[in-house]
């Protein structure tokens, strides 16, 4: 069967503003300005930019956590606001600090089981599915009874990825998912994400300030500055010759 080429996630002319301050200092801050992006199955879009550029707001919008002021967001060919039930378990996120996402009192198996039990009834094979997902992220069954404080940062991020993937989502947001890890562990997690994407064909938004990580993991790259997409290109094209002055500035900061 031929895989659909229509976007899994599509943003069209999306803008978001927030109000900041009180009284005379009250002002509107533009977090996203006329942003248009799309991601297809099996593809990763890398979103780069400095802190405050609008990357995290973009992640919130695509996950349905932040409603845009203008523009449209479509997930699997349906308006995001109308597809809440259909996207249950079909959109997930992997964040920067896995310890914040995991209950320190729960076992690793319970943490991976939780998303499944939210979206469906427990069946005789539910636990086996969670154990299988732990195995897929490189954690043997002996880890199932452990608790978060007994795992390293890299192992915890593997648990977070297992939690995200156990419901077989069509789309995953990775928000600075490797930035808190040692360089050698970063490479292992990036390789793991690539392998899992090749197998499960999920679409992904990889939010990062790390141009090297984005280059390694992404099929296309979008550069964000002050809420605007200033450059968007296939990864090979972007890294061969960035066009926008801000993109070139990011490259200079990386090499300095």
């Amino acid at each position: 069967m031929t895989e659909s080429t229509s976007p899994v996630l599509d943003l069209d002319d999306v803008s978001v503003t927030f109000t900041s301050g009180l009284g005379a200092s009250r002002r509107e801050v533009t977090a996203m300005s006329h942003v248009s992006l799309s991601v297809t199955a099996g593809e990763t879009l890398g979103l780069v930019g400095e802190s405050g550029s609008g990357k995290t707001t973009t992640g919130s919008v695509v996950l349905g956590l932040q409603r845009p002021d203008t523009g449209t967001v479509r997930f699997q060919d349906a308006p995001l606001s109308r597809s809440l039930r259909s996207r249950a378990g079909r959109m997930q996120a992997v964040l920067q600090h896995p310890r914040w996402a995991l209950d320190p009192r729960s076992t690793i198996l319970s943490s991976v089981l939780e998303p499944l039990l939210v979206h469906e009834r427990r069946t005789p094979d539910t636990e086996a599915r969670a154990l299988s997902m732990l195995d897929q992220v490189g954690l043997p069954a002996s880890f199932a009874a452990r608790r978060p404080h007994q795992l390293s940062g890299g192992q915890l991020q593997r648990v977070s990825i297992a939690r995200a993937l156990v419901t077989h989502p069509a789309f995953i947001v990775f928000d600075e998912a490797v930035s808190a890890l040692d360089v050698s562990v970063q490479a292992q997690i990036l390789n793991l994400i690539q392998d899992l994407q090749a197998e499960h064909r999920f679409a992904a938004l990889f939010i990062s300030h790390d141009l090297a990580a984005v280059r390694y993991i992404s099929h296309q790259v979008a550069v964000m500055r002050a809420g605007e997409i200033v450059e968007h290109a296939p990864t090979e094209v972007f890294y061969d010759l960035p066009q926008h002055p801000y993109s070139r500035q990011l490259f200079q900061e990386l090499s300095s």
Side-chain angles (χ1 to χ4, degrees), residues 4-10 39 73-80 82-83 86:
S4 172
T5 57
S6 62
V8 173
L9 193 288
D10 183 67
V39 197
V73 184
R74 296 181 66 83
F75 173 63
Q76 294 185 315
D77 293 326
L80 190 60
R82 299 179 186 175
S83 60
S86 65

Side-chain angles (χ1 to χ4, degrees), residues 49-111:
E50 61 192 351
S51 296
S53 62
K55 303 189 307 296
T56 297
T57 300
T58 302
S60 296
V61 167
V62 303
L63 289 169
L65 303 176
Q66 171 68 48
R67 180 171 293 185
D69 298 319
T70 61
T72 59
V73 184
R74 296 181 66 83
F75 173 63
Q76 294 185 315
D77 293 326
L80 190 60
S81 60
R82 299 179 186 175
S83 60
L84 292 175
R85 288 187 179 180
S86 65
R87 68 184 170 92
R90 302 290 291 158
M91 300 181 88
Q92 297 285 8
V94 177
L95 306 179
Q96 180 176 2
H97 298 290
R99 291 188 192 276
W100 297 355
L102 301 175
D103 185 342
R105 300 164 298 179
S106 295
T107 65
I108 297 306
L109 179 59
S110 295
S111 292

Side-chain angles (χ1 to χ4, degrees), residues 72-214:
T72 59
V73 184
R74 296 181 66 83
F75 173 63
Q76 294 185 315
D77 293 326
L80 190 60
S81 60
R82 299 179 186 175
S83 60
L84 292 175
R85 288 187 179 180
S86 65
R87 68 184 170 92
R90 302 290 291 158
M91 300 181 88
Q92 297 285 8
V94 177
L95 306 179
Q96 180 176 2
H97 298 290
R99 291 188 192 276
W100 297 355
L102 301 175
D103 185 342
R105 300 164 298 179
S106 295
T107 65
I108 297 306
L109 179 59
S110 295
S111 292
V112 177
L113 274 171
E114 184 180 10
L116 279 176
L117 299 180
V118 167
H119 300 297
E120 58 187 72
R121 288 185 175 184
R122 191 170 194 143
T123 65
D125 73 332
T126 302
E127 186 171 310
R129 288 162 60 190
L131 288 170
S132 173
M133 189 54 65
L134 281 173
D135 181 66
Q136 288 183 53
V137 300
L139 297 176
S142 59
F143 278 76
R146 299 185 190 182
R147 286 176 167 77
H149 73 274
Q150 297 175 291
L151 274 65
S152 67
Q155 290 168 340
L156 288 172
Q157 200 59 296
R158 289 174 186 268
V159 175
S160 292
I161 293 170
R163 268 174 60 93
L165 270 173
V166 75
T167 57
H168 299 291
F171 181 77
I172 303 177
V173 173
F174 295 91
D175 192 352
E176 298 287 1
V178 299
S179 63
L181 304 176
D182 294 339
V183 174
S184 61
V185 180
Q186 285 185 13
Q188 295 172 18
I189 297 300
L190 291 172
N191 284 330
L192 174 65
I193 293 170
Q194 282 187 327
D195 292 344
L196 291 169
Q197 187 177 52
E199 180 177 353
H200 295 280
R201 302 299 296 165
F202 56 83
L205 177 67
F206 188 85
I207 299 171
S208 181
H209 66 278
D210 186 340
L211 283 173
V214 169

